[in-house]
């Protein structure tokens, strides 16, 4: 249980990598003619999907790490 924070760090990093990949996929599949929404809305959506949970998990990992190491 003491090392669970390491897995949370890894999961947080994986979410950031997924964000980067999905924004890249959105970029290459984005079509100016067929999409009425600007591209930054897709980036904002991916930010909410991946980065916000990543930040929350990172904070939880920090709390767990401080609890067990101090």
């Amino acid at each position: 249980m003491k090392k669970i924070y390491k897995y949370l760090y890894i999961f947080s990093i994986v979410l950031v990598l997924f964000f980067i990949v999905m924004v890249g996929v959105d970029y290459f599949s984005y079509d100016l003619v067929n999409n009425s929404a600007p591209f930054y809305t897709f980036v904002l959506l991916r930010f909410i999907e991946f980065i916000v949970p990543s930040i929350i998990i990172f904070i939880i990992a920090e709390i767990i790490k401080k609890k067990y190491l101090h």
Side-chain angles (χ1 to χ4, degrees):
M1 186 68 180
K2 291 182 180 181
K3 295 185 180 185
I4 195 167
Y5 69 91
K6 292 180 182 179
Y7 296 112
L8 291 175
Y9 284 140
I10 292 170
F11 188 63
S12 178
I13 292 169
V14 167
L15 284 175
V16 171
L17 293 176
F18 278 168
F19 168 77
I20 294 168
V21 169
M22 292 306 293
V23 167
V25 168
D26 287 341
Y27 176 76
F28 288 113
S29 65
Y30 183 75
D31 186 14
L32 287 171
V33 176
N34 294 327
N35 290 330
S36 61
F39 182 69
Y40 70 84
T41 57
F42 291 92
V43 175
L44 182 63
L45 177 66
R46 296 298 181 196
F47 182 84
I48 292 170
E49 284 180 333
F50 293 109
I51 300 299
V52 171
S54 175
I55 292 169
I56 293 169
I57 291 170
F58 185 83
I59 292 170
I60 291 170
E62 282 290 316
I63 292 170
I64 291 172
K65 181 180 174 183
K66 288 182 182 181
K67 179 180 177 184
Y68 284 114
L69 293 181
H70 286 57

